[in-house]
Amino acid sequence: MRLLFFTDIHARVEWDAPKAMARAAKQMNEERADLALCGGDCITDGFQSSRAAVAHRWEVYRKHLRDDLSPRLLTAIGNHDLVGAVPEDGSEPEPDPRAAFRDELDIPRTFFSSEAGGYHIIVLDSVEVRGDALKYRGYIGEAQLAWLRDELARVGPDKPIILITHVPLLTSFFQATEGHEKVAPPNRVVVNNREVLDCFAKHRLHLVLQGHLHVNEMLRWRGTTFITGGAVCGKWWRGSWHGTDAGFGVLTLRPDRVNWEYKEIGWLPRRA
Ligand SMILES: [Fe+2]
């Protein structure tokens, strides 16, 4: 199976971002993939904004990227896609900050599963609103874990599984950039990652696709490939972040192998 994985678009109207998104969509279509997966942060700064203030960003995302994409698309929610969680413009917090995302994508729930090409695909909602100094953290709550265990009880042990999460379950980014003794901040990783991964102990977790960190990273741990998929917006529209330029990934999956290629879209940043 040939897959597209793109993440962290951070759609907005400034700095010619819509042109960059249209370029990414065109290049992704040229890959002739069977399925597209998105790792979230479709728009920018929904979390601290009112629904009305970011409506135009959803429109730009839809018009310049999502609607132009040929393959079927499944999307995980990112922290920026929660709208009105902790507004900073004096507006009232949204009673359900996930409502805008669900309405936009026309999905009933932010965690769900699907099937494609012989794979079972699980999309997680990895953002927990805290409202404290961190605003949010990466966490898979009890209700979602219960759903996940229930879901896996119905999936055979030999069926290969692909998991998508915005906030990473496993990464070496902080150790690579800040040294071995650095502990990843709770708003950068899923803090109960082992609890989540333990759910898959008797299953064939083939691939985990992650976003949030805007770098291109590939790890293999106990037979599972973990990929952090760079970012369509690169360093938040400022170019390259720790050596990862604006781009998207193309995967070729075989029963015992994952081939991952990160493709730069060749975007010259307009943001100072
Ligand atoms: Fe994010």
Side-chain angles (χ1 to χ4, degrees):
M1 183 161 69
R2 197 163 161 81
L3 277 181
L4 288 169
F5 178 54
F6 66 101
T7 184
D8 294 81
I9 303 93
H10 289 251
R12 58 191 307 152
V13 294
E14 298 87 348
W15 315 310
D16 280 341
K19 278 190 193 165
M21 288 153 53
R23 180 194 288 231
K26 184 170 175 285
Q27 292 179 7
M28 285 195 272
N29 284 338
E30 286 164 5
E31 298 296 334
R32 309 236 170 267
D34 304 300
L35 180 72
L37 302 170
C38 173
D41 281 359
C42 303
I43 64 158
T44 204
D45 288 346
F47 196 90
Q48 65 269 42
S49 310
S50 69
R51 203 163 162 160
V54 294
H56 68 292
R57 293 185 182 148
W58 286 116
E59 191 185 325
V60 156
Y61 175 60
R62 208 184 311 129
K63 270 170 68 176
H64 296 270
L65 201 159
R66 207 188 78 204
D67 285 356
D68 287 342
L69 219 52
S70 308
R72 180 163 79 100
L73 172 66
L74 303 174
T75 305
I77 192 168
N79 49 301
H80 285 257
D81 301 323
L82 274 78
V83 176
V86 186
E88 289 174 357
D89 60 358
S91 60
E92 283 293 308
E94 284 288 332
D96 179 0
R98 290 166 166 85
F101 179 87
R102 288 196 311 267
D103 291 349
E104 270 300 324
L105 277 80
D106 197 21
I107 51 172
R109 217 165 51 173
T110 49
F111 53 92
F112 56 94
S113 70
S114 188
E115 296 274 331
Y119 291 82
H120 192 74
I121 300 173
I122 298 176
V123 180
L124 292 183
D125 177 338
S126 56
V127 183
E128 185 194 44
V129 178
R130 301 287 284 178
D132 54 13
L134 279 178
K135 297 182 184 168
Y136 67 90
R137 66 173 182 167
Y139 184 71
I140 308 297
E142 260 317 309
Q144 194 173 173
L145 280 174
W147 168 81
L148 180 60
R149 291 185 189 112
D150 199 47
E151 173 79 12
L152 288 171
R154 285 193 294 269
V155 178
D158 298 325
K159 179 104 176 175
I161 299 169
I162 300 171
L163 188 64
I164 314 160
T165 170
H166 179 68
V167 185
L169 290 171
L170 208 59
T171 176
S172 60
F173 174 72
F174 296 94
Q175 289 68 47
T177 55
E178 298 184 50
H180 267 302
E181 291 184 283
K182 175 70 181 181
V183 176
N187 60 353
R188 291 291 172 264
V189 291
V190 170
V191 295
N192 61 336
N193 62 335
R194 291 198 301 175
E195 199 177 2
V196 177
L197 292 172
D198 281 351
C199 296
F200 294 87
K202 294 191 173 108
H203 286 82
R204 210 173 130 212
L205 183 57
H206 196 50
L207 174 65
V208 179
L209 297 170
Q210 323 178 117
H212 199 42
L213 301 180
H214 295 221
V215 293
N216 169 20
E217 178 194 40
M218 188 179 196
L219 298 172
R220 196 158 168 89
W221 174 246
R222 295 173 128 186
T224 301
T225 301
F226 293 78
I227 288 169
T228 308
V232 172
C233 73
K235 185 188 176 185
W236 296 267
W237 300 111
R238 283 190 179 96
S240 162
W241 177 240
H242 291 282
T244 299
D245 228 325
F248 60 89
V250 183
L251 296 119
T252 312
L253 303 186
R254 298 201 170 82
D256 58 342
R257 217 174 341 145
V258 173
N259 186 63
W260 161 250
E261 206 182 337
Y262 188 72
K263 306 234 174 186
E264 296 176 355
I265 59 173
W267 182 249
L268 290 173
R270 271 68 157 166
R271 184 180 188 181

